[in-house]
Amino acid sequence: MIPIAKPYLTEVEAKAAHDTILTGWITQGPRVNEFEEKFARYTGAKYAVALSNCTTALHLAMIVAGVGKGDEVICPSMSYIATANSIMYVGAEPVFAEVDPTTYNIDPEDAERRITPRTKAILIVHQIGMPADIDAFKAICDKHNLVLIEDAACAAGSSYKGGKIGSHSDLVCFSFHPRKVITTGDGGMLTTNNEQFYHRLKLLRQHGMSVNDRVRHESAKVIMEDHLEVGYNYRLTDIQAAVGIKQLERLDEIIAERNKIAQRYLRELADVPGIRLPHLPAECTTNWQSFSIYLLPECKVERNDLMQRLLDAGVASRRGIMTSHRETAYKNNGKAYHLPISEDAADRSIIIPLYVPMSDEDIAYVIQQFKACISA
Ligand SMILES: *Cc1c(COP(=O)(O)O)cnc(C)c1O
């Protein structure tokens, strides 16, 4: 059985976790600090704040962006549902925009059309690692005085116009869930170039506490902390950060391997009729978090049948990116959504296995079975 994905974890990460446990400092502490500094340096952002996962990063991004009750935030429906949920957490309303059917990324023109006087921010998603057109959205946000937020959950190591994702704007949220390219079990990071955001994010992730545990622990003087606002416990642990540091050291190597596999899929599936392979926009690189194939209307096999045939042949697959507006949590809220491009893209796409290390035989088998199952 060939799985859809596998985290790339070795003795190196296991030892890092082991060693951290034995230091006695296991929640947010020196390893978290080191992970943040290294992640900021890697992405080219001024600051990085480690958080418990990407969903909590998105929640804090909404808060520091000033999004609240009665506000609207434009985002794609076609994304993992956490994107839209983060807007609901602060009492605001997600306004779903369409995606570009070739990249699955939010369409700037459609997003701009949906701006109203209540719009406060635009939340773009770099779908399955493929960068959205950040500059187009920066221009729209500048023009309409909106905050830009990036859901880069899947996009660690991808780049846009020569800069790593994380360096371009002030609220960029990453995930280290095992389904992403590097993992800490669960975990998240928010990068920013805005010093005020940085300080507030650090307060908010630790109960609004004016001094963090580590400063108090290391101080020779008694320190009385204050809690400056209602905060959260969105900390990452040092055990996770120790794993993250080791994963980050290998991120470029992991992406190079993923790229090799993706290029082979692109080459060897190029002549399969009835499908559209992923399209990489100019001036972008992707980490290939997933490899999604769109089944054209002339494709002879239904997507779900294709998935079953592949499974019968020992190859796991997944439906493409979901839409949020058709999930029960959103579909009965009395709003009428018209998102035919997103629905079509979600219903006609399929994700095939891609992970590191993946043997040449396994890659060849996926290609062979995909061709066989789709032509039958
Ligand atoms: C995975 C994912 C999330 C959620 O990340 P967690 O770290 O699991 O909270 C949010 N948005 C997108 C686009 C994702 O793919």
Side-chain angles (χ1 to χ4, degrees):
M1 186 71 211
I2 299 180
I4 189 73
K6 254 197 264 189
Y8 185 40
L9 294 166
T10 66
E11 283 298 326
V12 174
E13 286 80 7
K15 180 167 189 312
H18 170 271
D19 292 351
T20 302
I21 289 167
L22 295 181
T23 67
W25 195 290
I26 49 173
T27 189
Q28 180 184 290
R31 292 285 86 77
V32 165
N33 210 49
E34 182 187 345
F35 188 30
E36 290 172 336
E37 281 172 8
K38 290 184 167 163
F39 198 83
R41 203 173 317 142
Y42 176 84
T43 56
K46 261 200 188 128
Y47 310 104
V49 180
L51 295 156
S52 48
N53 55 63
C54 183
T55 307
T56 53
L58 288 165
H59 182 196
L60 295 192
M62 291 296 151
I63 294 173
V64 301
V67 178
K69 271 207 176 50
D71 292 333
E72 294 174 352
V73 177
I74 295 168
C75 71
S77 166
M78 192 190 191
S79 180
Y80 186 59
I81 198 164
T83 306
N85 287 350
S86 70
I87 299 165
M88 300 291 284
Y89 295 161
V90 293
E93 188 191 318
V95 172
F96 295 129
E98 280 285 26
V99 293
D100 174 319
T102 68
T103 62
Y104 310 120
N105 274 320
I106 179 170
D107 175 350
E109 280 173 28
D110 190 67
E112 190 168 18
R113 272 195 293 276
R114 295 177 197 257
I115 293 172
T116 75
R118 286 166 61 200
T119 308
K120 187 86 186 191
I122 302 182
L123 172 52
I124 64 174
V125 182
H126 304 299
Q127 302 278 21
I128 54 177
M130 192 75 78
D133 190 354
I134 299 171
D135 282 352
F137 286 98
K138 272 188 173 172
I140 294 168
C141 288
D142 284 348
K143 183 169 150 202
H144 298 274
N145 195 25
L146 307 174
V147 184
L148 178 64
I149 303 171
E150 296 178 52
D151 180 341
C154 298
S158 298
S159 70
Y160 174 83
K161 295 191 179 172
K164 286 264 158 62
I165 297 295
S167 62
H168 304 90
S169 73
D170 285 340
L171 291 165
V172 189
C173 305
F174 295 89
S175 172
F176 306 122
H177 180 273
R179 185 64 182 82
K180 318 300 183 188
V181 171
I182 53 172
T183 185
T184 60
D186 261 307
M189 191 73 81
L190 197 160
T191 60
T192 184
N193 297 312
N194 179 317
E195 194 179 350
Q196 277 173 319
F197 285 177
Y198 173 63
H199 290 301
R200 182 134 186 253
L201 289 163
K202 287 181 55 158
L203 278 185
L204 286 169
R205 75 165 167 194
Q206 194 175 12
H207 309 291
M209 205 168 152
S210 59
V211 280
N212 74 39
D213 293 336
R214 190 179 166 206
V215 169
R216 193 173 50 180
H217 175 74
E218 289 170 355
S219 174
K221 291 230 165 73
V222 170
I223 295 182
M224 290 298 162
E225 72 281 6
D226 184 14
H227 295 87
L228 304 176
E229 61 177 315
V230 176
Y232 303 85
N233 176 359
Y234 285 172
R235 286 184 300 246
L236 190 75
T237 70
D238 258 26
I239 305 169
Q240 292 167 304
V243 171
I245 291 163
K246 296 301 174 195
Q247 289 268 282
L248 182 63
E249 283 171 6
R250 287 213 279 238
L251 176 54
D252 285 339
E253 180 195 316
I254 291 171
I255 292 173
E257 283 301 307
R258 299 182 78 88
N259 191 46
K260 270 191 218 157
I261 300 165
Q263 294 306 326
R264 186 160 167 203
Y265 282 156
L266 288 172
R267 230 173 21 245
E268 296 190 28
L269 295 174
D271 55 3
V272 175
I275 64 170
R276 188 172 63 217
L277 293 169
H279 164 71
L280 185 62
E283 297 184 90
C284 291
T285 66
T286 175
N287 62 10
W288 296 108
Q289 185 266 343
S290 291
F291 193 94
S292 177
I293 298 170
Y294 178 82
L295 306 184
L296 295 163
E298 62 262 35
C299 181
K300 290 193 185 69
V301 186
E302 297 268 337
R303 195 265 316 265
N304 295 359
D305 290 342
L306 178 59
M307 290 176 70
Q308 187 61 53
R309 288 180 190 187
L310 285 167
L311 192 60
D312 293 344
V315 177
S317 67
R318 295 286 181 271
R319 63 171 175 169
I321 308 156
M322 62 182 290
T323 56
S324 303
H325 71 281
R326 291 185 293 179
E327 296 297 306
T328 302
Y330 287 90
K331 77 178 174 203
N332 298 321
N333 64 5
K335 303 212 166 65
Y337 298 110
H338 183 65
L339 298 158
I341 299 170
S342 302
E343 291 183 7
D344 177 72
D347 294 345
R348 305 192 70 88
S349 54
I350 176 172
I351 290 172
I352 61 172
L354 202 173
Y355 49 85
V356 174
M358 189 173 179
S359 70
D360 282 346
E361 296 75 48
D362 285 354
I363 301 165
Y365 187 73
V366 170
I367 293 167
Q368 181 209 333
Q369 287 307 317
F370 186 86
K371 286 180 169 173
C373 293
I374 204 165
S375 60

